[in-house]
Structures are given as C-alpha cells and as structure tokens.
Amino acid sequence: EVPLVESGGGSAQIGGSLKLSCRASGTAFNNYDMAYFRKAPGNDCKLVAIINNRGKIYYANNVQGRFTISLDVAENTVNLQMNDLKPEDAATYFCAANSRIVRGDYDFCPNSLLENWGRGTLVTVSS
C-alpha cells in the first residue's frame, strides 16, 4: 500500500488555473504508474491523465492542451497543472498509483481495481 496525500484544488474562475499535487509516502515512483481521475456528481470516474516512470504521458481529449501532469521525483510527487479551466472541469479529483494504469474510466473512484488512491480534492469552477 502506498499512502497518497493530495493537496491543492479549491475554487477558480472560468479561464483560471489551479495546481493539484499528490505525494506518495515511502515509495519510489519507479514502481508505479500515477494518474489523476475526476468524478462529478452523476458522472463516472473519468481518467484525466496518466504518467509513468518511462516518461510516457496520456491525457484525456477534453483536457489535452490545458492540463499538464508531471513528476517531481525528488519529492515523490505528481503534479497536475490545470489551466484555462472550464465549468465541466469541476469535480472531485483523485490521485491514483498502480503498477500499471490503463486508459479508461471507471464507474466509481476510488475503487478496488487500482491499488492506491488519494482521498480526493474538490475543484470548483465559477463564472
């Protein structure tokens, strides 16, 4: 088990920016894919972005070009920089770590299909 501690989030205006961070305790990123998912009320748990230790990155189409996921290996932290926020970006964002994370959404997050989840952080976007 890898404890994941999330920070960041909060409220931003349309077109604004927020940064999420997820720190993994007691482990090296070498062993895990890291990802962010988000869940809005009434929606599935949607994959936002994945980054792995080989430097491969995937973004969901609706965040491509606006969000940037990155690793800070020295701090054991994965960051999600969110720019040009839209109302549809409002959700609870969850960090996840697993030996491998495939592209796809889930019915719920967190769930038992991935080994490690953060507690979630709320992002609201207002006009």
Side-chain angles (χ1 to χ4, degrees), residues 3 7 15-16 26 28 34 38 41-42 49 65 67 77-78 83 92-93 95 98-101 111 118 120 123-124:
S7 60
M34 305 292 296
R38 66 187 184 187
F67 289 12
T77 297
V78 58
N83 297 330
T92 299
Y93 284 70
C95 173
N98 205 60
S99 56
R100 186 165 180 259
I101 299 176
N111 59 62
V123 170
T124 59

Side-chain angles (χ1 to χ4, degrees), residues 36-125:
Y36 272 98
F37 292 81
R38 66 187 184 187
K39 189 172 190 319
N43 286 358
D44 295 345
C45 176
K46 302 288 190 184
L47 175 63
V48 175
I50 306 172
I51 187 167
N52 65 26
N53 62 340
R54 300 172 296 282
K56 190 168 183 179
I57 294 175
Y58 167 81
Y59 295 103
N61 287 340
N62 55 5
V63 306
Q64 177 78 46
R66 300 188 298 120
F67 289 12
T68 302
I69 192 169
S70 61
L71 289 177
D72 183 338
V73 177
E75 296 292 327
N76 264 12
T77 297
V78 58
N79 298 306
L80 184 70
Q81 178 67 43
M82 305 184 294
N83 297 330
D84 189 23
L85 285 163
K86 303 177 185 300
E88 54 264 38
D89 294 320
T92 299
Y93 284 70
F94 294 88
C95 173
N98 205 60
S99 56
R100 186 165 180 259
I101 299 176
V102 297
R103 301 173 187 181
D105 302 329
Y106 296 103
D107 290 335
F108 303 102
C109 50
N111 59 62
S112 60
L113 298 175
L114 299 182
E115 189 174 346
N116 305 288
W117 291 87
R119 297 182 68 176
T121 186
L122 183 64
V123 170
T124 59
V125 182

